[in-house]
Amino acid sequence: MQAYRLLTEEDTSAFCHKVTAALAQGWALYGSPAYAHDPATGKMRCAQAVVKDVEGDYAPDLKLGEL
């Protein structure tokens, strides 16, 4: 099965660390990053999709961050 996650964070080094941690855990980048203004906070936010091949079947209670 291929698992999918969308990582998001404010545009700070925390976002880069979040993506780097996912890559270190075997996730792979999927598509291009996105960058958008959050009008509620007035800050820019980043997003990056990642995928990972894992054993087993999909289940709605799957903890993606633990794969």
Side-chain angles (χ1 to χ4, degrees):
M1 173 188 84
Q2 190 172 64
Y4 171 92
R5 292 173 65 195
L6 182 63
L7 306 175
T8 62
E9 184 69 51
E10 287 183 7
D11 183 23
T12 67
S13 63
F15 174 72
C16 295
H17 285 282
K18 186 182 279 191
V19 173
T20 300
L23 294 173
Q25 294 167 359
W27 292 85
L29 300 177
Y30 183 80
S32 299
Y35 191 61
H37 181 259
D38 181 351
T41 64
K43 298 184 179 182
M44 296 300 290
R45 293 194 60 86
C46 299
Q48 174 65 58
V50 293
V51 293
K52 184 177 185 180
D53 289 324
V54 295
E55 292 187 23
D57 295 322
Y58 172 74
D61 61 342
L62 187 64
K63 304 280 190 228
L64 297 171
E66 295 176 6
L67 295 177

